[in-house]
């Protein structure tokens, strides 16, 4: 993620200044890449379900590396955009959803702890790669930075995927619907949400789950691009905005570390509840203009940190490990497409309504997501009661 998703945040101004290409198009390369990732995600999930994630993740490293070489050598804007489309193929095959699908395929119902561990380290991507990218930018320029990251992908990541990840026996295609298995362990005394019957998944739960994951992606993608602008719009100096903005990353990691310690004691639906509630508190506090911005950003960071975990563990708990990789591919599609569109939509909101109006809109989405998560929990409870009555 640090060398693809987070790369334009550092190099985009330098690319535009050096080449004269419009900054909107330079940043828009990432959006087109995410759109590509979203379009291929169902195919990626199906491939991981059938054959495991070894070759898919290796393909991801290869595409990202070749795309970064394309960025470094791009003589014009069209070639630059084309390189981002190649990187998009790599992101679709190698970001969180594909990695979660790979872990689910390999570990089955026990993948929850591995998913949590992955997100713990993934939360450091921007914290580590932004300073590295800035250092490289000053030393070798934006083209050299892309070449360095290309070497990391092709010389380090790709061989590691091929050497470390095991070859897995192919599975037969999943039949109509998604076969499911038992839910994840829950705390003593808590009722487990029993998955839908095999071959007959609960479509309403899948739709609500996809909706809440997509809304969360819209909020986090918008703020990842526009948070500093919003903070400065409230009268804050750039240095102060940057100093506060960096609180988001450590908050993500701290929340994920706590979740890793306590995850065995509760069902992932509670992780989801905590996530959407924290995000709503953080964004709404910023919108209300309360003089507790560090606390608001801490809540927001913790919320999006937990969201990444719930994104992987909740579908596994609801629908089991059979067909999990294929399901993750389907769920990733609307989220990635929304992430591609969210920064542009956020820019339009800022232009038309200003920082306060933009925060108001994001607060409304965050509160709507709380309602969706509650609806998901209610639907799970109703399904559980229905299954108990039919036994």
């Amino acid at each position: 993620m640090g060398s693809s998703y987070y790369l334009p945040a550092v190099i985009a101004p330098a690319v535009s200044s050096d080449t004269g290409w419009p900054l909107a198009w330079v940043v828009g390369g990432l959006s087109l890449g995410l759109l590509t990732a979203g379009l291929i995600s169902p195919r990626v999930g199906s491939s991981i379900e059938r054959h495991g994630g070894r070759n898919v993740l290796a393909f991801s490293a290869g595409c990202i590396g070749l795309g970064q070489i394309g960025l470094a050598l791009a003589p014009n804007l069209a070639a630059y955009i084309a390189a981002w489309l190649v990187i998009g193929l790599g992101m679709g095959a190698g970001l969180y959803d594909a990695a979660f699908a790979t872990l689910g395929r390999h570990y089955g119902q026990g993948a929850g702890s591995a998913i949590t561990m992955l997100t713990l380290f993934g939360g450091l991507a921007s914290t580590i790669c932004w300073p590295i990218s800035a250092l490289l930018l000053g030393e070798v320029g934006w083209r050299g930075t892309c070449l360095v990251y290309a070497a990391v992908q092709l010389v380090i990541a790709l061989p590691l995927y091929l050497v470390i990840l095991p070859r897995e026996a192919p599975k037969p295609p999943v039949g109509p619907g998604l076969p499911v298995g038992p839910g994840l362990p829950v705390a003593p005394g808590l009722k487990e949400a029993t998955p839908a019957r095999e071959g007959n998944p609960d479509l309403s739960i899948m739709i609500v789950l996809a909706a809440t994951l997509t809304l969360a992606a819209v909020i986090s993608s918008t703020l990842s691009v526009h948070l500093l602008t919003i903070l400065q719009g409230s009268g804050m100096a750039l240095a102060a905005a940057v100093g506060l903005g960096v609180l988001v990353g450590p908050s993500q990691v701290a929340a994920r570390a706590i979740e890793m310690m306590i995850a065995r004691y509760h069902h992932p639906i509670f992780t989801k509840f905590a996530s959407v509630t924290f995000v709503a508190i953080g964004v709404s506090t910023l919108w209300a203009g309360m003089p507790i911005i560090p606390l608001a950003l801490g809540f927001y960071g913790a919320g999006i940190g937990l969201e990444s975990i719930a994104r992987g563990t909740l579908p596994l708990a609801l629908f089991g490990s059979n067909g999990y990789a294929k399901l993750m591919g389907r769920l990733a599609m609307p989220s990635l497409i929304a992430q591609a569109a969210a920064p542009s939509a956020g820019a339009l909101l800022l232009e038309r309504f200003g920082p306060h109006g933009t925060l108001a809109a994001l607060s409304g989405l965050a509160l709507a997501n709380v309602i969706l998560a509650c609806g998901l929990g209610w639907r799970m409870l109703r399904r559980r009661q229905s299954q108990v009555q039919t036994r």
Side-chain angles (χ1 to χ4, degrees), residues 135-145 148:
L135 176 64
L136 289 172
L137 186 63
E139 294 294 327
V140 298
W142 71 269
R143 294 183 187 270
T145 300
V148 169

Side-chain angles (χ1 to χ4, degrees), residues 333-347:
M333 186 176 184
S335 293
L336 288 169
I337 292 175
Q339 287 183 63
S344 298

Side-chain angles (χ1 to χ4, degrees), residues 96-231:
Y96 269 149
D97 297 292
F100 294 161
T102 299
L103 293 172
R105 171 68 158 78
H106 183 66
Y107 291 107
Q109 206 61 37
S113 58
I115 289 171
T116 303
M117 179 67 73
L118 174 64
T119 62
L120 178 63
F121 288 103
L124 298 172
S126 61
T127 304
I128 293 174
C129 287
W130 276 348
I132 292 176
S133 297
L135 176 64
L136 289 172
L137 186 63
E139 294 294 327
V140 298
W142 71 269
R143 294 183 187 270
T145 300
C146 292
L147 289 176
V148 169
Y149 281 133
V152 171
Q153 292 290 336
L154 297 174
V155 178
I156 299 177
L158 193 155
L160 280 177
Y161 284 140
L162 294 175
V163 170
I164 293 177
L165 293 178
R167 294 179 182 272
E168 299 191 52
K171 284 185 178 180
V174 176
L178 292 173
V180 296
L184 291 176
V186 297
L190 291 178
K191 293 291 185 181
E192 180 182 2
T194 307
R197 293 175 181 175
E198 185 166 340
N200 185 29
D202 192 321
L203 184 59
S204 64
I205 287 183
M206 292 179 64
I207 291 173
V208 176
L209 177 61
T212 184
L213 294 178
T214 300
L215 265 186
V218 168
I219 296 168
S220 63
S221 183
T222 302
L223 284 178
S224 69
V225 174
H226 299 296
L227 178 60
L228 297 184
T229 302
I230 289 172
L231 292 176

